[in-house]
Amino acid sequence: MDQDTLLKKWLNNELSESEKEHFSKQDDFIFNQKIIDSAKLFKASNHIKIKDFEAFKKEYQNQKTTKRNIDWYKPFLRIAAILVIALGVYFSVFYNSTTSINTQIGEKTTIELPDHSEVILNALTTISFKEKNWSENRALNLKGEAYFKVAKGKTFNVITTTGTITVVGTEFNVKNRENYFEVQCYEGIVKVVSDTIIRQLVAGNTFKIYKGHFSQTQTTLKSPNWSNNKSSFENIELSDVLDELERQYNIQITTEKLNLKRLFSGAFTHNNIENALISITKPMNLSYKWSSKNSIVIYGAQH
């Protein structure tokens, strides 16, 4: 039996049980049923007759055509959606991408920020910032130690895990190591905020939080010693001094019978390991021995 005859008998409720079962399994059955169900929702006037098969067939063809007209542009909608997502991801990555610079053991490097400010990085230091929108977001993240020479009239923030430094056209040094946060101002004005402590530094001021203790002192330095290949310390535990020695030289230090909490004041150079070791051990009456090419053992006074 052809499709039209079967459809006509279904509309007139003339299908046999076997024909009903066959008709209900056709792909268009649900679609046809929806047309009939929708028609029942409308109230007809006394002058309207029930649609005959030809009228139903015409409406059925119109519905199918409309559906096809809608379907043809669905792939284009999918493509457009993919393009919108892709462009969103591209601009998000492009404009929000972060520039990161790292130094290794014994390495120092100088970079220029987008506003032509200069930053000199000490060994094992990382800075990161968003270069594309620097003019709207003048912020830089620092882990380690860096010396800043800020362009005149330019303002930005240096953000560390311990505090935030706000600067305008100045020169200053920031040290952000474990249990050691220090800001030295050499020129201009620096604002430092660390937890509840807020200070405004001028040239010659030093802000330091070491092992949880805050202090503010003076310095006569015009630039940090490390930028001239020398590390200097004032009342710093020996363990932190040795950590800095390892950062400047590619060596491993172990200790025997040594009180690492002893305080050290002094300095060592970055260009001669033997001189550096003598500068630390001799004032504290310590001794040392090379155990391998890159390993040193430092002994306490009783050795």
Side-chain angles (χ1 to χ4, degrees), residues 36-94:
I36 295 300
D37 292 342
S38 298
K40 292 178 181 178
L41 298 176
F42 295 95
K43 182 178 180 181
S45 69
N46 293 331
H47 301 287
I48 295 178
K49 297 181 179 180
I50 297 176
K51 294 180 181 179
D52 59 16
F53 171 69
E54 293 302 326
F56 175 85
K57 183 177 177 181
K58 183 176 181 182
E59 181 175 342
Y60 172 85
Q61 295 297 335
N62 288 338
Q63 292 276 4
K64 296 286 284 184
T65 302
T66 302
K67 186 176 184 298
R68 284 195 297 271
N69 288 339
I70 293 173
D71 288 346
W72 75 269
Y73 63 81
K74 284 185 177 179
F76 294 95
L77 290 177
R78 294 191 187 100
I79 293 171
I82 292 171
L83 287 174
V84 169
I85 294 171
L87 287 171
V89 171
Y90 169 78
F91 283 109
S92 176
V93 172
F94 183 77

Side-chain angles (χ1 to χ4, degrees), residues 1-10 15 53:
M1 185 178 296
D2 62 57
Q3 178 69 18
D4 285 355
T5 302
L6 194 62
L7 185 60
K8 185 175 181 179
K9 290 184 68 176
W10 174 70
L15 292 176
F53 171 69

Side-chain angles (χ1 to χ4, degrees), residues 16 51 53 55 81 87 152 157 160 171 178 210 217 243 299:
S16 65
K51 294 180 181 179
F53 171 69
L87 287 171
K152 300 299 181 183
N157 293 330
T160 74
E171 293 188 19
E178 186 177 1
Y210 180 63
T217 58
D243 285 344
Y299 302 94

Side-chain angles (χ1 to χ4, degrees), residues 100-104 107 109 121-122 124-127:
S100 295
I101 297 94
N102 308 284
T103 54
Q104 304 303 314
E107 179 187 12
T109 191
L121 278 62
N122 201 353
L124 287 181
T125 295
T126 300
I127 64 167

Side-chain angles (χ1 to χ4, degrees), residues 86-279:
L87 287 171
V89 171
Y90 169 78
F91 283 109
S92 176
V93 172
F94 183 77
Y95 284 103
N96 294 311
S97 61
T98 300
T99 299
S100 295
I101 297 94
N102 308 284
T103 54
Q104 304 303 314
I105 292 175
E107 179 187 12
K108 300 178 182 68
T109 191
T110 301
I111 68 162
E112 186 178 272
L113 297 176
D115 62 5
H116 305 299
S117 295
E118 184 178 271
V119 184
I120 306 171
L121 278 62
N122 201 353
L124 287 181
T125 295
T126 300
I127 64 167
S128 59
F129 57 94
K130 289 180 170 54
E131 185 173 0
K132 297 300 178 182
N133 64 338
W134 175 262
S135 58
E136 292 83 29
N137 181 30
R138 298 179 186 275
L140 179 150
N141 291 282
L142 168 69
K143 183 179 181 181
E145 186 170 13
Y147 173 33
F148 295 83
K149 297 180 180 180
V150 182
K152 300 299 181 183
K154 302 298 183 181
T155 305
F156 67 94
N157 293 330
V158 178
I159 302 169
T160 74
T161 55
T162 307
T164 298
I165 302 93
T166 302
V167 300
V168 180
T170 185
E171 293 188 19
F172 63 101
N173 186 76
V174 180
K175 186 171 187 174
N176 182 48
R177 304 287 190 189
E178 186 177 1
N179 296 316
Y180 196 150
F181 177 64
E182 182 183 76
V183 180
Q184 286 188 333
C185 181
Y186 309 114
E187 179 184 297
I189 300 174
V190 173
K191 180 182 178 182
V192 185
V193 177
S194 179
D195 197 12
T196 59
I197 303 173
I198 303 173
R199 292 292 187 276
Q200 186 166 281
L201 310 182
V202 296
N205 290 164
T206 296
F207 177 110
K208 183 165 70 175
I209 300 176
Y210 180 63
K211 304 291 184 181
H213 299 286
F214 167 73
S215 64
Q216 186 169 332
T217 58
Q218 296 295 116
T219 180
T220 58
L221 296 175
K222 300 302 180 183
S223 62
N225 277 327
W226 66 262
S227 65
N228 297 308
N229 292 320
K230 185 197 301 188
S231 291
S232 58
F233 308 88
E234 184 175 348
N235 294 323
I236 300 300
E237 290 184 6
L238 186 56
S239 60
D240 292 316
V241 176
L242 297 182
D243 285 344
E244 187 63 32
L245 188 64
E246 288 181 323
R247 274 191 284 269
Q248 298 301 331
Y249 295 95
N250 189 21
I251 58 173
Q252 290 184 332
I253 298 174
T254 56
T255 61
E256 288 188 14
K257 297 180 180 180
L258 186 61
N259 179 9
L260 293 173
K261 290 189 176 295
R262 287 183 63 185
L263 298 180
F264 175 82
S265 294
F268 67 79
T269 63
H270 297 173
N271 51 16
N272 189 303
I273 182 61
E274 292 291 344
N275 288 343
L277 285 165
I278 292 171
S279 297

